[in-house]
mmCIF file with all atom_site columns, all heavy atoms in Angstrom:
data_model
loop_
_atom_site.group_PDB
_atom_site.id
_atom_site.type_symbol
_atom_site.label_atom_id
_atom_site.label_alt_id
_atom_site.label_comp_id
_atom_site.label_asym_id
_atom_site.label_entity_id
_atom_site.label_seq_id
_atom_site.pdbx_PDB_ins_code
_atom_site.Cartn_x
_atom_site.Cartn_y
_atom_site.Cartn_z
_atom_site.occupancy
_atom_site.B_iso_or_equiv
_atom_site.pdbx_formal_charge
_atom_site.auth_seq_id
_atom_site.auth_comp_id
_atom_site.auth_asym_id
_atom_site.auth_atom_id
_atom_site.pdbx_PDB_model_num
ATOM 1   N N   . ASN A 1 83 ? 79.542 88.186  65.964 1.00 0.00 ? 88  ASN A N   1
ATOM 2   C CA  . ASN A 1 83 ? 80.249 88.887  67.044 1.00 0.00 ? 88  ASN A CA  1
ATOM 3   C C   . ASN A 1 83 ? 79.370 90.004  67.558 1.00 0.00 ? 88  ASN A C   1
ATOM 4   O O   . ASN A 1 83 ? 78.792 90.737  66.737 1.00 0.00 ? 88  ASN A O   1
ATOM 5   C CB  . ASN A 1 83 ? 81.563 89.452  66.473 1.00 0.00 ? 88  ASN A CB  1
ATOM 6   C CG  . ASN A 1 83 ? 82.409 90.061  67.532 1.00 0.00 ? 88  ASN A CG  1
ATOM 7   O OD1 . ASN A 1 83 ? 81.956 90.619  68.520 1.00 0.00 ? 88  ASN A OD1 1
ATOM 8   N ND2 . ASN A 1 83 ? 83.748 90.001  67.269 1.00 0.00 ? 88  ASN A ND2 1
ATOM 9   N N   . PRO A 1 84 ? 79.277 90.219  68.867 1.00 0.00 ? 89  PRO A N   1
ATOM 10  C CA  . PRO A 1 84 ? 78.482 91.317  69.423 1.00 0.00 ? 89  PRO A CA  1
ATOM 11  C C   . PRO A 1 84 ? 78.864 92.705  68.895 1.00 0.00 ? 89  PRO A C   1
ATOM 12  O O   . PRO A 1 84 ? 78.028 93.576  68.698 1.00 0.00 ? 89  PRO A O   1
ATOM 13  C CB  . PRO A 1 84 ? 78.682 91.274  70.924 1.00 0.00 ? 89  PRO A CB  1
ATOM 14  C CG  . PRO A 1 84 ? 79.104 89.883  71.207 1.00 0.00 ? 89  PRO A CG  1
ATOM 15  C CD  . PRO A 1 84 ? 79.817 89.421  69.983 1.00 0.00 ? 89  PRO A CD  1
ATOM 16  N N   . ASP A 1 85 ? 80.151 92.864  68.538 1.00 0.00 ? 90  ASP A N   1
ATOM 17  C CA  . ASP A 1 85 ? 80.609 94.161  67.985 1.00 0.00 ? 90  ASP A CA  1
ATOM 18  C C   . ASP A 1 85 ? 80.148 94.384  66.576 1.00 0.00 ? 90  ASP A C   1
ATOM 19  O O   . ASP A 1 85 ? 80.170 95.488  66.041 1.00 0.00 ? 90  ASP A O   1
ATOM 20  C CB  . ASP A 1 85 ? 82.110 94.259  68.078 1.00 0.00 ? 90  ASP A CB  1
ATOM 21  C CG  . ASP A 1 85 ? 82.618 94.283  69.492 1.00 0.00 ? 90  ASP A CG  1
ATOM 22  O OD1 . ASP A 1 85 ? 81.907 94.730  70.378 1.00 0.00 ? 90  ASP A OD1 1
ATOM 23  O OD2 . ASP A 1 85 ? 83.768 93.789  69.758 1.00 0.00 ? 90  ASP A OD2 1
ATOM 24  N N   . ALA A 1 86 ? 79.722 93.314  65.918 1.00 0.00 ? 91  ALA A N   1
ATOM 25  C CA  . ALA A 1 86 ? 79.262 93.410  64.507 1.00 0.00 ? 91  ALA A CA  1
ATOM 26  C C   . ALA A 1 86 ? 77.805 93.804  64.368 1.00 0.00 ? 91  ALA A C   1
ATOM 27  O O   . ALA A 1 86 ? 77.265 93.974  63.292 1.00 0.00 ? 91  ALA A O   1
ATOM 28  C CB  . ALA A 1 86 ? 79.556 92.128  63.777 1.00 0.00 ? 91  ALA A CB  1
ATOM 29  N N   . LEU A 1 87 ? 77.076 93.800  65.505 1.00 0.00 ? 92  LEU A N   1
ATOM 30  C CA  . LEU A 1 87 ? 75.627 94.046  65.501 1.00 0.00 ? 92  LEU A CA  1
ATOM 31  C C   . LEU A 1 87 ? 75.421 95.565  65.125 1.00 0.00 ? 92  LEU A C   1
ATOM 32  O O   . LEU A 1 87 ? 76.200 96.372  65.493 1.00 0.00 ? 92  LEU A O   1
ATOM 33  C CB  . LEU A 1 87 ? 74.980 93.765  66.877 1.00 0.00 ? 92  LEU A CB  1
ATOM 34  C CG  . LEU A 1 87 ? 75.010 92.290  67.296 1.00 0.00 ? 92  LEU A CG  1
ATOM 35  C CD1 . LEU A 1 87 ? 74.573 92.224  68.740 1.00 0.00 ? 92  LEU A CD1 1
ATOM 36  C CD2 . LEU A 1 87 ? 74.089 91.477  66.368 1.00 0.00 ? 92  LEU A CD2 1
ATOM 37  N N   . VAL A 1 88 ? 74.287 95.853  64.482 1.00 0.00 ? 93  VAL A N   1
ATOM 38  C CA  . VAL A 1 88 ? 73.954 97.137  64.125 1.00 0.00 ? 93  VAL A CA  1
ATOM 39  C C   . VAL A 1 88 ? 73.790 98.086  65.333 1.00 0.00 ? 93  VAL A C   1
ATOM 40  O O   . VAL A 1 88 ? 74.239 99.215  65.369 1.00 0.00 ? 93  VAL A O   1
ATOM 41  C CB  . VAL A 1 88 ? 72.638 97.201  63.285 1.00 0.00 ? 93  VAL A CB  1
ATOM 42  C CG1 . VAL A 1 88 ? 72.084 98.604  63.107 1.00 0.00 ? 93  VAL A CG1 1
ATOM 43  C CG2 . VAL A 1 88 ? 72.827 96.526  61.964 1.00 0.00 ? 93  VAL A CG2 1
ATOM 44  N N   . ILE A 1 89 ? 73.256 97.455  66.427 1.00 0.00 ? 94  ILE A N   1
ATOM 45  C CA  . ILE A 1 89 ? 73.087 98.201  67.690 1.00 0.00 ? 94  ILE A CA  1
ATOM 46  C C   . ILE A 1 89 ? 74.437 98.639  68.263 1.00 0.00 ? 94  ILE A C   1
ATOM 47  O O   . ILE A 1 89 ? 74.550 99.726  68.875 1.00 0.00 ? 94  ILE A O   1
ATOM 48  C CB  . ILE A 1 89 ? 72.203 97.513  68.741 1.00 0.00 ? 94  ILE A CB  1
ATOM 49  C CG1 . ILE A 1 89 ? 72.795 96.106  68.986 1.00 0.00 ? 94  ILE A CG1 1
ATOM 50  C CG2 . ILE A 1 89 ? 70.791 97.486  68.341 1.00 0.00 ? 94  ILE A CG2 1
ATOM 51  C CD1 . ILE A 1 89 ? 71.948 95.322  70.030 1.00 0.00 ? 94  ILE A CD1 1
ATOM 52  N N   . SER A 1 90 ? 75.420 97.783  68.070 1.00 0.00 ? 95  SER A N   1
ATOM 53  C CA  . SER A 1 90 ? 76.806 98.161  68.551 1.00 0.00 ? 95  SER A CA  1
ATOM 54  C C   . SER A 1 90 ? 77.361 99.253  67.707 1.00 0.00 ? 95  SER A C   1
ATOM 55  O O   . SER A 1 90 ? 78.016 100.191 68.214 1.00 0.00 ? 95  SER A O   1
ATOM 56  C CB  . SER A 1 90 ? 77.677 96.913  68.519 1.00 0.00 ? 95  SER A CB  1
ATOM 57  O OG  . SER A 1 90 ? 77.268 95.934  69.409 1.00 0.00 ? 95  SER A OG  1
ATOM 58  N N   . LYS A 1 91 ? 77.136 99.175  66.409 1.00 0.00 ? 96  LYS A N   1
ATOM 59  C CA  . LYS A 1 91 ? 77.632 100.272 65.498 1.00 0.00 ? 96  LYS A CA  1
ATOM 60  C C   . LYS A 1 91 ? 76.999 101.600 65.848 1.00 0.00 ? 96  LYS A C   1
ATOM 61  O O   . LYS A 1 91 ? 77.613 102.655 65.815 1.00 0.00 ? 96  LYS A O   1
ATOM 62  C CB  . LYS A 1 91 ? 77.357 99.896  64.046 1.00 0.00 ? 96  LYS A CB  1
ATOM 63  C CG  . LYS A 1 91 ? 78.074 98.639  63.611 1.00 0.00 ? 96  LYS A CG  1
ATOM 64  C CD  . LYS A 1 91 ? 79.505 98.751  63.587 1.00 0.00 ? 96  LYS A CD  1
ATOM 65  C CE  . LYS A 1 91 ? 80.141 97.483  63.026 1.00 0.00 ? 96  LYS A CE  1
ATOM 66  N NZ  . LYS A 1 91 ? 81.616 97.480  63.195 1.00 0.00 ? 96  LYS A NZ  1
ATOM 67  N N   . ALA A 1 92 ? 75.686 101.532 66.165 1.00 0.00 ? 97  ALA A N   1
ATOM 68  C CA  . ALA A 1 92 ? 74.946 102.767 66.553 1.00 0.00 ? 97  ALA A CA  1
ATOM 69  C C   . ALA A 1 92 ? 75.504 103.367 67.856 1.00 0.00 ? 97  ALA A C   1
ATOM 70  O O   . ALA A 1 92 ? 75.620 104.604 67.948 1.00 0.00 ? 97  ALA A O   1
ATOM 71  C CB  . ALA A 1 92 ? 73.476 102.491 66.685 1.00 0.00 ? 97  ALA A CB  1
ATOM 72  N N   . ASP A 1 93 ? 75.837 102.483 68.802 1.00 0.00 ? 98  ASP A N   1
ATOM 73  C CA  . ASP A 1 93 ? 76.453 102.944 70.051 1.00 0.00 ? 98  ASP A CA  1
ATOM 74  C C   . ASP A 1 93 ? 77.840 103.642 69.718 1.00 0.00 ? 98  ASP A C   1
ATOM 75  O O   . ASP A 1 93 ? 78.097 104.690 70.289 1.00 0.00 ? 98  ASP A O   1
ATOM 76  C CB  . ASP A 1 93 ? 76.720 101.783 71.043 1.00 0.00 ? 98  ASP A CB  1
ATOM 77  C CG  . ASP A 1 93 ? 75.425 101.376 71.737 1.00 0.00 ? 98  ASP A CG  1
ATOM 78  O OD1 . ASP A 1 93 ? 74.476 102.140 71.726 1.00 0.00 ? 98  ASP A OD1 1
ATOM 79  O OD2 . ASP A 1 93 ? 75.449 100.247 72.232 1.00 0.00 ? 98  ASP A OD2 1
ATOM 80  N N   . GLU A 1 94 ? 78.617 103.020 68.891 1.00 0.00 ? 99  GLU A N   1
ATOM 81  C CA  . GLU A 1 94 ? 79.912 103.598 68.571 1.00 0.00 ? 99  GLU A CA  1
ATOM 82  C C   . GLU A 1 94 ? 79.727 104.962 67.883 1.00 0.00 ? 99  GLU A C   1
ATOM 83  O O   . GLU A 1 94 ? 80.481 105.911 68.165 1.00 0.00 ? 99  GLU A O   1
ATOM 84  C CB  . GLU A 1 94 ? 80.685 102.639 67.639 1.00 0.00 ? 99  GLU A CB  1
ATOM 85  C CG  . GLU A 1 94 ? 81.177 101.415 68.339 1.00 0.00 ? 99  GLU A CG  1
ATOM 86  C CD  . GLU A 1 94 ? 81.763 100.385 67.339 1.00 0.00 ? 99  GLU A CD  1
ATOM 87  O OE1 . GLU A 1 94 ? 82.119 100.761 66.183 1.00 0.00 ? 99  GLU A OE1 1
ATOM 88  O OE2 . GLU A 1 94 ? 81.910 99.214  67.711 1.00 0.00 ? 99  GLU A OE2 1
ATOM 89  N N   . TYR A 1 95 ? 78.761 105.044 66.969 1.00 0.00 ? 100 TYR A N   1
ATOM 90  C CA  . TYR A 1 95 ? 78.550 106.295 66.252 1.00 0.00 ? 100 TYR A CA  1
ATOM 91  C C   . TYR A 1 95 ? 78.105 107.396 67.250 1.00 0.00 ? 100 TYR A C   1
ATOM 92  O O   . TYR A 1 95 ? 78.568 108.506 67.212 1.00 0.00 ? 100 TYR A O   1
ATOM 93  C CB  . TYR A 1 95 ? 77.467 106.111 65.210 1.00 0.00 ? 100 TYR A CB  1
ATOM 94  C CG  . TYR A 1 95 ? 77.078 107.417 64.497 1.00 0.00 ? 100 TYR A CG  1
ATOM 95  C CD1 . TYR A 1 95 ? 77.963 107.892 63.486 1.00 0.00 ? 100 TYR A CD1 1
ATOM 96  C CD2 . TYR A 1 95 ? 75.927 108.055 64.747 1.00 0.00 ? 100 TYR A CD2 1
ATOM 97  C CE1 . TYR A 1 95 ? 77.642 109.100 62.849 1.00 0.00 ? 100 TYR A CE1 1
ATOM 98  C CE2 . TYR A 1 95 ? 75.579 109.213 64.089 1.00 0.00 ? 100 TYR A CE2 1
ATOM 99  C CZ  . TYR A 1 95 ? 76.508 109.753 63.142 1.00 0.00 ? 100 TYR A CZ  1
ATOM 100 O OH  . TYR A 1 95 ? 76.165 110.931 62.523 1.00 0.00 ? 100 TYR A OH  1
ATOM 101 N N   . ARG A 1 96 ? 77.195 107.064 68.151 1.00 0.00 ? 101 ARG A N   1
ATOM 102 C CA  . ARG A 1 96 ? 76.698 107.983 69.175 1.00 0.00 ? 101 ARG A CA  1
ATOM 103 C C   . ARG A 1 96 ? 77.855 108.509 70.035 1.00 0.00 ? 101 ARG A C   1
ATOM 104 O O   . ARG A 1 96 ? 78.020 109.671 70.288 1.00 0.00 ? 101 ARG A O   1
ATOM 105 C CB  . ARG A 1 96 ? 75.661 107.347 70.028 1.00 0.00 ? 101 ARG A CB  1
ATOM 106 C CG  . ARG A 1 96 ? 75.099 108.294 71.107 1.00 0.00 ? 101 ARG A CG  1
ATOM 107 C CD  . ARG A 1 96 ? 74.209 107.539 72.093 1.00 0.00 ? 101 ARG A CD  1
ATOM 108 N NE  . ARG A 1 96 ? 74.678 106.329 72.656 1.00 0.00 ? 101 ARG A NE  1
ATOM 109 C CZ  . ARG A 1 96 ? 75.631 106.228 73.602 1.00 0.00 ? 101 ARG A CZ  1
ATOM 110 N NH1 . ARG A 1 96 ? 76.160 107.278 74.097 1.00 0.00 ? 101 ARG A NH1 1
ATOM 111 N NH2 . ARG A 1 96 ? 76.050 105.029 73.963 1.00 0.00 ? 101 ARG A NH2 1
ATOM 112 N N   . GLU A 1 97 ? 78.754 107.576 70.467 1.00 0.00 ? 102 GLU A N   1
ATOM 113 C CA  . GLU A 1 97 ? 79.930 107.938 71.257 1.00 0.00 ? 102 GLU A CA  1
ATOM 114 C C   . GLU A 1 97 ? 80.819 108.870 70.506 1.00 0.00 ? 102 GLU A C   1
ATOM 115 O O   . GLU A 1 97 ? 81.328 109.874 71.073 1.00 0.00 ? 102 GLU A O   1
ATOM 116 C CB  . GLU A 1 97 ? 80.669 106.706 71.702 1.00 0.00 ? 102 GLU A CB  1
ATOM 117 C CG  . GLU A 1 97 ? 79.923 105.872 72.787 1.00 0.00 ? 102 GLU A CG  1
ATOM 118 C CD  . GLU A 1 97 ? 80.558 104.546 73.085 1.00 0.00 ? 102 GLU A CD  1
ATOM 119 O OE1 . GLU A 1 97 ? 81.688 104.329 72.590 1.00 0.00 ? 102 GLU A OE1 1
ATOM 120 O OE2 . GLU A 1 97 ? 79.945 103.821 73.836 1.00 0.00 ? 102 GLU A OE2 1
#
Side-chain angles (χ1 to χ4, degrees):
N88 185 331
D90 295 331
L92 296 171
V93 171
I94 54 178
S95 296
K96 299 292 183 191
D98 283 342
E99 290 173 16
Y100 177 76
R101 180 189 47 78
E102 289 171 7

